[in-house]
Amino acid sequence: MTEQTKVTTLEKVVVRFSGDSGDGMQLTGTIFSNLSAILGNEISTFPDFPAEIRAPQGSLSGVSGFQVHLGSKKIFTPGDKADVLVAMNPAALKVNVNYLKPLAIVVIDTDSFQKSDLDKAKFTTDDPFKELGLTNVQVIAAPISSMVKDGLAEFGLDNKSAVRCKNMFALGLVCWLFDRPLDEAMHMLQNKFAKKPTIAQANIKALTDGYNYGHNTHALVSTYRIESKKMAPGFYTDVNGNKATAYGLIAAAEKAGLKLFLGSYPITPATDILQELSARKDLGVKALQFEDEIAGICTSIGASFAGSLAATSTSGPGLALKSEAIGLAVIAEIPLVVVDVQRGGPSTGLPTKSEQTDLAQALYGRNGESPVVVIAASTPTDCFDAAFWAGKLALEHMTPVILLTDSFLANGSSAWKLPDMKDYPEIKPKYATEYKGDTPWKAYHRDPETLVRYWAVPGMEGFAHRIGGLEKDYDTSAISTDPHNHQKMVTTRQAKIDKIADYIPEVEVLGDKDADLLIVGWGGTFGHLCEAMETMHENGKKVALAHFKFISPLPKNTAEVLLKYKKVVVAEQNNGQFANYLRSKISGFNPYKFNRVKGQPFIVSRLVEEFTKLLEA
Amino acid sequence: MTEQTKVTTLEKVVVRFSGDSGDGMQLTGTIFSNLSAILGNEISTFPDFPAEIRAPQGSLSGVSGFQVHLGSKKIFTPGDKADVLVAMNPAALKVNVNYLKPLAIVVIDTDSFQKSDLDKAKFTTDDPFKELGLTNVQVIAAPISSMVKDGLAEFGLDNKSAVRCKNMFALGLVCWLFDRPLDEAMHMLQNKFAKKPTIAQANIKALTDGYNYGHNTHALVSTYRIESKKMAPGFYTDVNGNKATAYGLIAAAEKAGLKLFLGSYPITPATDILQELSARKDLGVKALQFEDEIAGICTSIGASFAGSLAATSTSGPGLALKSEAIGLAVIAEIPLVVVDVQRGGPSTGLPTKSEQTDLAQALYGRNGESPVVVIAASTPTDCFDAAFWAGKLALEHMTPVILLTDSFLANGSSAWKLPDMKDYPEIKPKYATEYKGDTPWKAYHRDPETLVRYWAVPGMEGFAHRIGGLEKDYDTSAISTDPHNHQKMVTTRQAKIDKIADYIPEVEVLGDKDADLLIVGWGGTFGHLCEAMETMHENGKKVALAHFKFISPLPKNTAEVLLKYKKVVVAEQNNGQFANYLRSKISGFNPYKFNRVKGQPFIVSRLVEEFTKLLEA
Amino acid sequence: MEQELKYQPKDYKSDQYVRWCPGCGDHAVLNCVHKAMAELNVDPKDIAVISGIGCSSRLPYYMNSYGFHTIHGRGAAIATGVKTANPALNVWLMTGDGDCLAIGGNHFIHAVRRNIDLNIVLFNNKIYGLTKGQYSPTTDRGFVTKSSPYGTVEEPFIPAELTFGARGNFFARVIDVDLKNTTDILTASARHKGASVVEVLVNCVIFNDGIHKQITDKEFRPDRTIFLRHGEKMLFGKENEKGLVLDGLKLKVVTIGQDGYTLDDILVHDAHTEDATMHMMLGMMGGDLPLALGVIRDVDAPCYDQEVEKQILEVQAKKPHRTLNEFLMSGEIWEVK
Amino acid sequence: MEQELKYQPKDYKSDQYVRWCPGCGDHAVLNCVHKAMAELNVDPKDIAVISGIGCSSRLPYYMNSYGFHTIHGRGAAIATGVKTANPALNVWLMTGDGDCLAIGGNHFIHAVRRNIDLNIVLFNNKIYGLTKGQYSPTTDRGFVTKSSPYGTVEEPFIPAELTFGARGNFFARVIDVDLKNTTDILTASARHKGASVVEVLVNCVIFNDGIHKQITDKEFRPDRTIFLRHGEKMLFGKENEKGLVLDGLKLKVVTIGQDGYTLDDILVHDAHTEDATMHMMLGMMGGDLPLALGVIRDVDAPCYDQEVEKQILEVQAKKPHRTLNEFLMSGEIWEVK
Ligand SMILES: Cc1ncc(C[n+]2csc(CCOP(=O)(O)OP(=O)(O)O)c2C)c(N)n1
Ligand SMILES: Cc1ncc(C[n+]2csc(CCOP(=O)(O)OP(=O)(O)O)c2C)c(N)n1
Ligand code: SF4
Ligand code: SF4
Ligand SMILES: [Mg+2]
Ligand SMILES: [Mg+2]
């Protein structure tokens, strides 16, 4: 399976449909495998009938299953363990308990998980998952039977015939999960029930309803990667990128001794950050939903002015709306973290898909010369560090920082070693009280070394001042339209950002020192690029990887690193935005480009293929 | 005068204060010339006292004047004709009528231009300007006397003493015009009236009031350049860039046989476009003010959907607000012209100043891969052609087009030969009725050559369809999340824009074929770069100029032109946005950069100096 | 007005699968929209259905007319452009409580103030459906949602009140489960010239199931709602035994035959009166008073789209030039020979 | 409450030159703001004055407090952030009719709905001053401006009506020329806990001179305005000879001693009553009825900024952890040794 949607990181996938023998799992599985084949997948299937011909309904021995293994190539077996299990009743869950991959997706019909059903499958508690020790699976619990009944009301079927369509609801849901268009399945159903048009229509309706249910609820399915093979001793938890981002912001506020404020507006796939922080009232966080994205950032700008560590979270279209206000934060020189969880664009685009297409917007999407800091997280857990960095740089350098993550990181989860905040650096904003200049303090007086203006917060005695969006005089901080002053301020604002290069780590090169090819990446593609590099090492190729977390400003050693290798390829999920940015910054840098804009993570095997070709070119 | 503000294009300027002998013009002129000297200008002055010692008040013989010629260097004479005349009464206007440059700025006190005043100066009609044949001057008509009286009410002066301060009001206004800080003038007044603190304060107040009046009204002052030395036969009118833009849009609508719709919101310096088009109801234009910039563009998107040639006009901060909606127009593939009259940024910045700092925003300021057409006008009259082009490309290629002008072009006026619309090309949108494909028409079916989708407008029989911000299927036009389809659509949207290079002229190189230095510019700097080139030719240097009007896509011969010259300098009023863009597009292009971000037009002598240095480097 | 009805509801249905959850209230509204259009007898090609973003905003895809599914909150502005550019079109705006009143609040109040002839259907499920369950500007104070895990601390907008505050001339309220009245009122809203706002109380079965149950359930409806009809008495209750009377500046429920109240005492609904005081009082009912359904206000006033056209004609009547060249030649020009 | 008044109006004045035109109504308001602050006796360091963009929005520069001149229309949102982040501050929003009701309309109605404790001063000159004379959402229908050369075709907002439509709990109206009352009412608005809206009718001498003349001129004022005071009779006229009575659902002007009306018949103003019906009627007066000045509505209700703080304290009372590490350790974790 080259491309699939909700189960994003896998190139091969095993799906198992399982239920009572009356539940029609064989038909379901057959249709699914057939339509996958039609879509060009290689498949291998394994129908698994119950041993007893007429086992009691709902019993363990009555479970019927159908397993499909599908992928883009080299599918030789029906697979060992399932990535996705459809369990129509508790018995189906129980018999498959040992055949699930970690974080497998389990779809259940809650209507068939009632007390009586659990009894039939010999469960003794009312929580079958707990009882089976199934703690690391992702459950999609849907009231399938009742939704099917509701959905088919218009057909006037008797109850039993209606409920019999529930397998098609389940199939619809799985089709949604794998982005399978329904047309072929409908076609097959029409053929199968050619003589019973009502039944055909009812099945088709149930199929569509199941698909829509998945579509409308998204059913919170995430992806899983093991980021590091060796686990250091310590306490761990599972965390996805959005949660890690939220925690990173909390950590930064803690280290700075400030309150955290988040002004936000829901938008896929960033909403979780707002939701997680809204729940963190225990930690004193003020995370609030406002009327739109502009209010989200503007309340944050207000909170920053009032002395909080202020952040706002959004995705692409929301970042576009925030453009004007980011410019205000730039000229007012106040600390602000703007988190953009990138999704497929342009416009509303593909809201649930992942891309890296907002980089140019983050760098340039404002009127005037309006430089900001841009950082990108590379893994779900790195979102924590990246968010911490964002808070630190914003506060210590009095600037907006745009933190780019993406849908893939946001929903992807990893085992995460709980950080000990003692290991993290202090965050020390420069307050106006530290000003030591000869002339009386003014709002835009700067620390000579960092060019950072001193921060005065309402309530501080002796530092009342006015700031705003109009250009200010370098010395007096009053409004100024003087041309020389404007040039000086434009230059200073840029220099302030450029100087941050002194306060961030250099970019590291992984892999071969004397590589024949340097892979350059940034942000959420780290895992795939790294895996590609490692695979190539196994194939005996000399390759290295320079993966960027700090984008504006670039680490100090960037030019040196990039110009050192004969062949360089910049790989990104857009049309070359980072490559273009690097070329505009580094004379003589003419890399190859590998670009995919499919709303999907890279496919490691394709990367290896392409990079190997480049090596040979 | 190296840098000045409202009177932007001149490197030397002649200001004449003129009024009744009792009006204090000598003091006014002296203060103004002194403070200019303090600010580093070279000056030459000419006090011009009335011949009669006690001529009747208001009479022609009672006019007293003071002329100042100031500039950055080489000021040898008090100047011949005035760029700015302050005429405190009709007599002062009359005696100076032959000493005014074309489009000179004339400041008058309307309170002293009443019937009785006109009589004293022997005017016979009530329109002194008309009577004197002064049609091409720019008049700032302010009720100076009454404003001074109002403004000084708090001082409890008698009427006469109060009105006597009106010269200081005039001075304040002129100071505003030339961006002279008031501090020095205040200082001088304090010294002069050291013994009469109330009078000092009153004068200072009047000075400030005059300054503020200028500041708050902007008093519509524009700049003037002669664009071409030889005038072709035909009818001419004066036009500034904003009007020319408005007319260009009307022309495009006419040629396309469509109604023109403009949805807008006032913002300096773009408001005039809205105002001019609002007045063009005679031509059937629907130009309407909405609640904000987002509504401005969104109503236009609606009007475009409904079949108008739709445009929206704004300046930098407004363009930022429109970012999200431009993305919608990109993915919906509807025609739309977005005019951005650039001003000083970032944020509110310097609203009345001119810059070229929105280029990056125009190119990249949206989420996702979101390509648009970008065009920049090079002179006030070229705004007409550029706007016409914008309309043509938008309609014929079903795309948003961002037209960049700037404050300098917008307010600068030129003699303009009235275009004959017969000389302009047809504009032919591809309507759905022209679709000739094998399968039934769908909304995103494309002309194979241009990749432009066929336009269907509500009301057309047989073409009802739904479009929107979500990704659509290439073939069926239904919503699609398919990865391959998304890649195909991303590639196609970019290719559609790239193909426009086949429909625009190549970039021309002016000057020496075998130049040692190629100057590269874009947009509103054309006049200055051209003059710089010509001056260098006079100095015997071999230079050429490639000035870009079409920026995205670039003309087809761009790489060829840019790579042909040994030395290339990209000169622009920003930190190098066009240079960076060119570098990202053209391998091996490593130009010098000349960047100024002062909110001011280039200064030709400085350009010549810098470019000559480059030649010698 | 006898007119041949040429269209069936199905003529307005597109071939797209409807993607709402089984049981979502939006399905019912969609059907009513189809029926209302057939009732209005308008050619699908002359209809433009505009929406923002949200579950409800997907409606244009299910119509066989021209449609534009735009961006979040901007539907009102885009619809304003469509209607102003071509007043001959029948323009609908489909919008949710979040789309219309959160991000789209400004365009909404301005469209209402301008009285542009749009048919605005506000799907109020008191939740953000599409983004899976955050609170909206109509969510009740204290309500727990995904983004208000400890309950909201905000007073909700009352769409009727906001509409009147923005100078609205047509406001109606209906419930998803009442197909007949919803169809009728959508039809009436489309016939009204000017901005008409129809608030439909819809159920989001997934993220806010039962939010309107206390009002819409058959058992409660007669006592907790009152259906207003212009020119008719304000009666409600299972047997129409209750009615509204005015008590000073307050509305009061009385039972006919009790406390000396007779049918004559009961207020008569006047949707057409220009003064909005009574409409506001009716729109604000709830709590002890029954929730008002039906057309609460329906007043004629100049329409923006028409006024824009009228002004152009007036100006053109006074000026001869129609082309750019004619106009330029009529200005201040000089000749170079 | 006897309290030592420590501050003078001049303590709130900054050293910047005031850049408004001579004769602009904003000067007067600025002075009243300085006086009100002295009256409120609040330390300048605890004041934050926020504004958008417009002539009126330049006010923060003329204050000796903390100030933020932000971007067009966003003042309400930014002020909301300031106040929510630090409820101890005294937060003012200075905004114009364009800034507040055109581009800023949405933030305005949401700030009002949330009832965040801001003192909102709305400078209504019915024009865009800073951009030199285009019409605003409060410009009268038909009015000719630079952007409506043939007159507007829009109905203006009435700020009182919109405020009430957005659930507003404090609304007052004053005129620039009445320094005493403006000062008093700004003081009252600041004392009100919650979003208080003070509409000041100001004159733009350059682009809209005399727009309020028919009301504010000394000769017209007694007959064309009524100054409302809580608990007092609604009287007006040169000799206080006229008053307001209720006639059904309409307000009516009567002359005491005529048509049998006595002082007893005249309505008493109750600014504190929760029901907004009468406040809306008063706020909408004009035309034949005198324009209402003074505090029209002043009702206590929960403040957003306070409720946010309260909820945090409530949650914290139930949960022991205060640091990220404590919180993470309290979740689902496992150990690797
Ligand atoms: C600019 C932008 N912000 C946010 C979103 C995310 N978003 C989509 S729909 C929606 C709210 C939907 O609520 P409502 O309008 O009530 O519609 P419903 O789904 O309840 O019918 C939000 C926040 C978006 N698509 N675009
Ligand atoms: C985003 C943006 N749009 C437009 C403008 C231009 N602009 C500045 S102030 C203003 C309107 C001012 O009117 P109002 O708020 O009534 O203030 P007044 O000047 O009348 O006091 C406008 C349109 C801007 N600065 N920023
Ligand atoms: S999520 Fe709610 S509103 Fe959306 S389709 Fe499902 S039931 Fe309807
Ligand atoms: S333009 Fe009008 S509002 Fe602005 S300062 Fe002048 S008088 Fe006041
Ligand atoms: Mg909703
Ligand atoms: Mg105003």
Side-chain angles (χ1 to χ4, degrees), chain B residues 216, chain D residues 20-21 24 55 125 129 204-207:
Chain B
N216 293 328
Chain D
W20 292 312
C21 304
C24 174
C55 288
N125 54 13
C204 169
V205 30
I206 303 295
F207 298 110

Side-chain angles (χ1 to χ4, degrees), chain A residues 179 345 347-350 353 355 357-358 367-369 469 471 481 484 486-487 574-575 577 583 587 597-598, chain B residues 179 345 347-350 353 355 357-358 367-369 469 471 481 484 486-487 574-575 577 583 587 597-598:
Chain A
D179 251 4
S347 193
T348 311
L350 299 100
K353 307 294 165 117
E355 279 182 9
T357 48
D358 290 350
N367 58 301
E369 286 293 343
E471 186 61 286
T481 57
H484 297 291
H486 180 45
Q487 178 77 65
N574 58 37
N575 276 349
Q577 301 184 2
R583 282 182 51 172
S587 289
V597 198
K598 299 190 160 192
Chain B
D179 250 5
S347 193
T348 311
L350 298 101
K353 307 295 165 117
E355 278 180 11
T357 48
D358 290 350
N367 58 302
E369 286 294 342
E471 185 63 285
T481 57
H484 296 290
H486 180 45
Q487 177 77 63
N574 57 39
N575 275 348
Q577 300 183 3
R583 283 183 49 170
S587 288
V597 197
K598 298 190 160 191

Side-chain angles (χ1 to χ4, degrees), chain A residues 140 173 176 212-220, chain C residues 21 132 206-207:
Chain A
I140 303 181
L173 188 49
W176 173 77
N212 293 350
Y213 176 82
H215 176 84
N216 293 327
T217 60
H218 289 196
L220 202 99
Chain C
C21 304
K132 301 173 204 331
I206 303 294
F207 297 110

Side-chain angles (χ1 to χ4, degrees), chain A residues 324, chain B residues 266 293, chain D residues 53 55-56 72 96-99 125 127-131:
Chain A
E324 191 205 10
Chain B
E293 281 85 355
Chain D
I53 300 283
C55 288
S56 37
H72 194 36
D97 43 324
D99 191 64
N125 54 13
I127 200 85
Y128 289 0
L130 190 70
T131 48

Side-chain angles (χ1 to χ4, degrees), chain C residues 44-320:
Chain C
K45 79 167 173 42
D46 295 323
I47 296 174
V49 184
I50 313 297
S51 67
I53 300 283
C55 289
S56 37
S57 287
R58 295 183 75 107
L59 193 140
Y61 291 118
Y62 312 138
M63 304 292 312
N64 195 27
S65 64
Y66 282 85
F68 200 173
H69 176 228
T70 71
I71 42 178
H72 195 34
R74 314 303 169 189
I78 291 172
T80 295
V82 173
K83 184 71 186 178
T84 309
N86 185 357
L89 297 173
N90 190 294
V91 184
W92 295 73
L93 172 64
M94 302 297 170
T95 178
D97 43 323
D99 190 64
C100 185
L101 300 177
I103 190 169
N106 208 28
H107 307 305
F108 173 71
I109 59 178
H110 281 272
V112 167
R113 167 174 80 82
R114 290 192 187 102
N115 200 34
I116 172 134
D117 188 12
L118 303 178
N119 313 318
I120 304 174
V121 186
L122 168 46
F123 293 69
N124 187 1
N125 54 13
K126 300 195 172 188
I127 200 84
Y128 289 0
L130 190 71
T131 48
K132 301 173 204 331
Q134 300 78 31
Y135 71 95
S136 93
T138 60
T139 302
D140 300 327
R141 185 186 280 273
F143 200 72
V144 170
T145 70
K146 284 199 195 147
S147 57
S148 59
Y150 303 102
T152 76
V153 295
E154 309 181 12
E155 208 58 26
F157 280 136
I158 297 168
E161 189 183 22
L162 187 64
T163 302
F164 296 146
R167 324 242 65 203
N169 286 311
F170 185 104
F171 184 86
R173 194 187 281 130
V174 290
I175 54 183
D176 54 1
V177 288
D178 183 355
L179 304 188
K180 171 76 183 65
N181 281 316
T182 300
T183 305
D184 289 352
I185 276 164
L186 289 172
T187 312
S189 85
R191 292 207 168 115
H192 171 82
K193 292 270 158 248
S196 46
V197 180
V198 179
E199 178 190 14
V200 192
L201 303 181
V202 288
N203 191 36
C204 170
V205 28
I206 303 294
F207 297 110
N208 213 9
D209 196 22
I211 188 69
H212 302 301
K213 202 174 148 63
Q214 298 301 318
I215 286 158
T216 57
D217 261 20
K218 281 243 166 70
E219 55 174 313
F220 306 129
R221 223 191 291 168
D223 291 321
R224 297 201 183 149
T225 70
I226 180 169
F227 200 92
L228 299 173
R229 286 188 179 81
H230 176 74
E232 293 187 13
K233 292 269 175 195
M234 300 186 193
L235 293 171
F236 69 110
K238 287 201 187 58
E239 315 284 333
N240 263 356
E241 74 282 9
K242 291 183 279 192
L244 294 175
V245 299
L246 201 56
D247 179 14
L249 278 181
K250 288 204 160 69
L251 289 167
K252 197 172 82 171
V253 172
V254 300
T255 305
I256 295 166
Q258 277 182 20
D259 305 322
Y261 285 103
T262 69
L263 191 59
D264 287 348
D265 298 317
I266 306 301
L267 292 168
V268 171
H269 181 44
D270 181 357
H272 300 332
T273 184
E274 208 175 308
D275 185 286
T277 308
M278 174 57 91
H279 301 147
M280 183 66 109
M281 292 165 74
L282 291 169
M284 299 290 291
M285 291 196 305
D288 289 345
L289 295 167
L291 189 80
L293 300 178
V295 177
I296 295 174
R297 177 175 171 85
D298 178 0
V299 170
D300 282 339
C303 291
Y304 181 79
D305 44 312
Q306 295 300 334
E307 297 298 306
V308 168
E309 295 262 301
K310 222 169 79 186
Q311 196 169 68
I312 288 179
L313 295 177
E314 281 165 14
V315 173
Q316 290 188 330
K318 286 185 213 133
K319 305 210 175 169

